[in-house]
Amino acid sequence: MKNKLRHYRTVRIENQDGRFTIRGMGKWYHQWRDPYHLLLTIPWVGFAGIVSIAYLLLNALFALAYLAGGDSLEGAKPGSFSDAFFFSVQTLASIGYGAIHPKTFYANSIVTLESIAGLLLIAVLTGLAFARFSRPIAKVLFSQFILITTHNRQPTLTFRVANERHNFILEATAQMYLIIDELTDEGAFMRRIHELKLMRHRTPSLVLTWTIMHSIDSDSPLYGLTASDLEQRHANISILVGGVDETVAYTITARHVYATEDILFEHRFEDIIYTSENGDRYFDYSRFHQVQPLD
């Protein structure tokens, strides 16, 4: 166990603008010990760069192998690294111009090994490229603020989300969690996670917008807490929204974290739906994040 633990460094948790984040979490350059995950999460520019460098190094190694066999390539200058390198490129890509070809058993053996390496390389890169293209990505917009307001004469925590793709997210679900500092009865510090019960945690389809609410009653972990309490106890509210993207039939998940400074008391969202003179209804997404204080 100790040998395994040597590979892990100390994890640093930072408080940035009221949000607790793990340093390096989600960063592709912290995944060198997991190359498959690295190649799936690295930006496309970095992916192309790694593939190109690996391709050049592989051809350079085979070029050195051809040179180690002496004058083993017909049509190539003896001892020419460039000729051996470009012959390796042609072999690995199955181009086969024919200007240079192996003339010894040793060179043919290296060509055989390189052909096998080329097949494996193409198979791996094809799989990685397909996995990157087919990876489901949610396009869910979360409101900038989460509000504690009054709904049906009851204090209510509310925020709204929108489907930026404007297609159907089927069987959309939402989960809300309060993450807050607490002390146990023995005085031990804990970072506790409380699930917040939603008035409606599921909708048949998320097409445009969805206003999600949690009633702050006597059973709610937020009951009786003020803005000062939430700030002193470093409260965060974590949101998970998921469903099935109808276009690609993949399950997608989006997450968002609201810090204490994102929680506004006694405000309400501005209405984004308006009706034209002919009776048509429109959604004005320019007001999606806008709030106003209660009268």
Side-chain angles (χ1 to χ4, degrees):
M1 179 64 70
K2 290 183 179 180
N3 292 333
K4 292 183 179 179
L5 292 177
R6 288 177 185 172
H7 296 291
Y8 295 91
R9 299 180 180 179
T10 302
V11 176
R12 182 191 302 177
I13 302 177
E14 298 180 344
N15 186 353
Q16 299 178 350
D17 299 328
R19 294 176 177 84
F20 283 92
T21 58
I22 301 175
R23 183 177 180 86
M25 176 66 73
K27 303 297 185 183
W28 60 265
Y29 45 78
H30 285 269
Q31 305 295 332
W32 291 108
R33 294 190 182 95
D34 190 355
Y36 177 75
H37 188 266
L38 169 67
L39 290 172
L40 288 181
T41 56
I42 191 173
W44 275 104
V45 174
F47 177 77
I50 289 179
V51 170
S52 299
I53 292 174
Y55 187 80
L56 293 175
L57 288 176
L58 183 62
N59 281 289
L61 289 175
F62 276 106
L64 293 175
Y66 289 122
L67 293 178
D71 187 15
S72 60
L73 298 176
E74 184 69 35
K77 297 178 182 177
S80 174
F81 176 81
S82 61
D83 284 356
F85 178 85
F86 290 119
F87 173 72
S88 174
V89 171
Q90 297 167 25
T91 303
L92 198 62
S94 301
I95 297 175
Y97 290 124
I100 302 177
H101 57 273
K103 64 179 181 180
T104 65
F105 177 81
Y106 172 83
N108 279 292
S109 300
I110 300 300
V111 167
T112 302
L113 293 176
E114 187 168 9
S115 298
I116 296 173
L119 290 174
L120 295 175
L121 179 65
I122 292 173
V124 170
L125 291 182
T126 301
L128 285 171
F130 177 79
R132 289 177 62 91
F133 273 114
S134 61
R135 187 175 56 177
I137 299 176
K139 296 288 288 184
V140 176
L141 178 66
F142 292 83
S143 57
Q144 182 179 355
F145 300 103
I146 187 168
L147 311 181
I148 295 182
T149 185
T150 301
H151 177 75
N152 291 335
R153 301 182 181 181
Q154 177 71 40
T156 303
L157 184 71
T158 179
F159 68 100
R160 57 189 179 189
V161 297
N163 180 8
E164 292 189 89
R165 287 199 174 104
H166 302 301
N167 66 343
F168 283 86
I169 298 179
L170 304 177
E171 289 297 324
T173 60
Q175 295 171 285
M176 185 187 302
Y177 299 92
L178 171 66
I179 307 172
I180 194 168
D181 294 346
E182 290 186 358
L183 292 177
T184 65
D185 294 338
E186 294 75 23
F189 169 81
M190 292 189 68
R191 185 74 172 161
R192 293 290 299 274
I193 300 177
H194 299 276
E195 184 173 1
L196 302 180
K197 184 178 179 181
L198 302 179
M199 293 184 180
R200 180 166 59 92
H201 76 283
R202 182 186 299 271
T203 184
S205 61
L206 174 56
V207 184
L208 299 174
T209 64
W210 181 15
T211 300
I212 302 172
M213 301 180 179
H214 162 72
S215 181
I216 306 177
D217 54 22
S218 57
D219 295 327
S220 171
L222 289 168
Y223 185 74
L225 296 182
T226 65
S228 178
D229 294 331
L230 296 176
E231 183 177 1
Q232 291 176 4
R233 297 172 65 179
H234 303 102
N236 283 176
I237 295 177
S238 178
I239 311 295
L240 293 176
V241 175
V244 178
D245 190 308
E246 184 187 47
T247 304
V248 294
Y250 284 159
T251 299
I252 58 175
T253 303
R255 64 181 179 88
H256 188 76
V257 176
Y258 290 100
T260 306
E261 63 185 17
D262 302 322
I263 305 174
L264 300 182
F265 284 73
E266 299 302 321
H267 282 70
R268 67 177 179 87
F269 286 112
E270 290 193 5
D271 196 356
I272 63 174
I273 303 176
Y274 69 93
T275 306
S276 64
E277 295 180 356
N278 61 2
D280 293 336
R281 291 185 177 183
Y282 293 87
F283 282 78
D284 184 4
Y285 284 96
S286 65
R287 295 187 290 178
F288 181 80
H289 300 287
Q290 294 181 11
V291 298
Q292 55 184 227
L294 295 178
D295 298 333

